[in-house]
Amino acid sequence: MNEITTLIWVLAMVAGLLLGAMFFVGLWCTVRKAVFSQRPAFWLLGSQLLRTSLALTGFYVVANGHWQRLLACLLGFLIARFIVIQFTGRPVAPLTFSRKEAGHATES
C-alpha cells in the first residue's frame, strides 16, 4: 500500500465524518424542532428524506466504485455518530411504564 492509497482512505474517512456530522446533527435539530411544532410529521419526514439523500449521494461520490473507500467513509460516518452523541448528550432516561399505569394488563 502506498502513500496515495492511504491518503485517499483517510480523505474518505474524513468525508464520512463530515457526512455523519451533517446527518446526526440534522437529526438532533429536527427532533428538537419537531417536539414543539404544530406539524411534527412534516419536519421528521422532510428531514429524513433530505438527510438520507445527502448522505447516500455523499457515499456514492466518495466511493467512486471502490468498496474500500465506501468502507472508510462508513467508518467515519459511524465515528461521527459517537462524537455527536458526546456533544449533544444522551437522553436522560428511556420511557418506561410502571405496573400501576398499565392497570388493564395486571390484576391488583
Side-chain angles (χ1 to χ4, degrees):
M1 179 164 56
N2 59 23
E3 294 81 19
I4 299 295
T5 305
T6 305
L7 178 64
I8 289 173
W9 287 359
V10 168
L11 290 175
M13 186 179 291
V14 169
L17 281 166
L18 294 174
L19 287 170
M22 178 270 318
F23 186 89
F24 293 111
V25 169
L27 175 62
W28 180 70
C29 291
T30 300
V31 170
R32 290 176 53 94
K33 177 73 174 174
V35 168
F36 300 108
S37 175
Q38 294 293 329
R39 298 175 9 190
F42 170 76
W43 285 102
L44 294 171
L45 183 62
S47 172
Q48 182 66 38
L49 290 173
L50 180 66
R51 288 181 294 111
T52 301
S53 62
L54 288 174
L56 288 177
T57 302
F59 281 133
Y60 180 77
V61 169
V62 169
N64 196 24
H66 297 88
W67 66 269
Q68 299 92 344
R69 293 181 195 173
L70 181 62
L71 193 62
C73 189
L74 181 62
L75 181 62
F77 190 87
L78 293 175
I79 291 170
R81 177 185 179 269
F82 293 108
I83 292 171
V84 170
I85 287 173
Q86 289 297 317
F87 280 108
T88 59
R90 290 191 176 268
V92 177
L95 293 176
T96 58
F97 299 100
S98 68
R99 288 186 176 247
K100 288 183 180 181
E101 291 174 359
H104 63 281
T106 60
E107 282 189 41
S108 299

